[in-house]
Amino acid sequence: MFGLRHGVMGALALLAWTAVQAQATQWLDEYLRTVHSGRAQFSQAVTSPARAGQAPRVKNSSGTFEFKRPGKFRFVYQRPYEQWLVADGKTMWLYDLDLQQVTARAQTQALGTSPAALLTSAQGVSGLQKDFELQDQPDAEGLSWVLATPRAADASLASVRAGLRRTDAGVELVRLDVLDRLGQRSVLTFSAGANNVDLPASLFVFRPPAGVDVIRP
């Protein structure tokens, strides 16, 4: 009787744990399906792999982020120096104000299986599953986590972890934890966000300033 009771309790605990884990993918699907535009502040910490005899190097930056599905977004890095990353649905523009240089790439080639594609292109989990294998992760740091692993063997990314939470306003994407094939880790944390806001189309239009070098690799 003792063993049966504990077996039942263990099974119930396993079912409860499984339900909690499944919640993360469901929340990601809800976020992708219901959040059509948004803006937030972000901070980013990029950690390079440690070298022999040296501690890992961490570079911190911050700025603002805006997006509109499908495929339009604008990252404005304000610190430590100003850069703009603008995608208009066809071209992705990188404008380095210090260097007075613009790099323009075809958006489909530049994004691929990048975190930006995860944020702005897919309109549901089914849209992600073509390029990513999704797996629920244990809750941590007050967030529910989904691990996205690129299906392509030659992808530059090793994995992306998305941390989500539910508020009275709906599901929010709070953090992206990105690991590339070279061991570099980039953690993006979003704050002061607003979903489904009316964003002017001009935000996602970029015209290189006069006199700035434009590179098209």
Side-chain angles (χ1 to χ4, degrees):
M1 186 69 175
F2 178 84
L4 177 61
R5 178 182 178 186
H6 280 259
V8 171
M9 294 296 290
L12 290 174
L14 177 61
L15 287 172
W17 183 85
T18 302
V20 169
Q21 303 311 302
Q23 150 183 294
T25 300
Q26 293 171 2
W27 283 9
L28 179 60
D29 185 59
E30 180 180 338
Y31 174 81
L32 294 173
R33 287 188 296 101
T34 63
V35 178
H36 308 296
S37 64
R39 63 158 54 102
Q41 297 174 9
F42 73 87
S43 60
Q44 182 175 17
V46 178
T47 305
S48 299
R51 296 181 179 179
Q54 297 180 0
R57 294 172 298 164
V58 181
K59 295 182 179 180
N60 295 295
S61 55
S62 61
T64 60
F65 169 62
E66 291 147 315
F67 74 94
K68 186 174 183 179
R69 299 188 201 282
K72 297 180 180 180
F73 62 86
R74 179 186 181 95
F75 278 96
V76 175
Y77 286 81
Q78 298 167 334
R79 297 177 182 175
Y81 49 85
E82 192 168 359
Q83 283 187 328
W84 300 0
L85 187 62
V86 182
D88 59 17
K90 294 182 179 179
T91 303
M92 190 173 74
W93 305 87
L94 173 61
Y95 177 27
D96 189 314
L97 278 73
D98 284 347
L99 297 178
Q100 286 295 286
Q101 179 177 289
V102 172
T103 303
R105 298 176 182 270
Q107 192 166 321
T108 53
Q109 296 176 352
L111 290 183
T113 55
S114 72
L118 182 100
L119 277 171
T120 63
S121 298
Q123 299 187 58
V125 160
S126 60
L128 285 179
Q129 288 174 331
K130 178 181 69 175
D131 297 316
F132 292 93
E133 180 180 348
L134 303 179
Q135 183 179 5
D136 295 297
Q137 298 284 286
D139 288 0
E141 303 174 73
L143 303 174
S144 292
W145 293 88
V146 179
L147 175 67
T149 305
R151 295 187 184 276
D154 60 349
S156 60
L157 297 180
S159 65
V160 180
R161 293 175 68 237
L164 305 110
R165 69 181 172 207
R166 179 177 290 283
T167 70
D168 292 341
V171 176
E172 294 181 347
L173 179 65
V174 178
R175 192 163 297 147
L176 284 176
D177 188 339
V178 184
L179 182 67
D180 72 17
R181 295 288 183 186
L182 299 178
Q184 179 173 277
R185 183 184 182 198
S186 178
V187 179
L188 276 162
T189 302
F190 301 98
S191 61
N195 292 337
N196 293 322
V197 292
D198 187 16
L199 299 175
S202 59
L203 274 177
F204 310 105
V205 175
F206 181 83
R207 295 184 177 87
V212 170
D213 292 332
V214 179
I215 301 171
R216 297 181 182 270

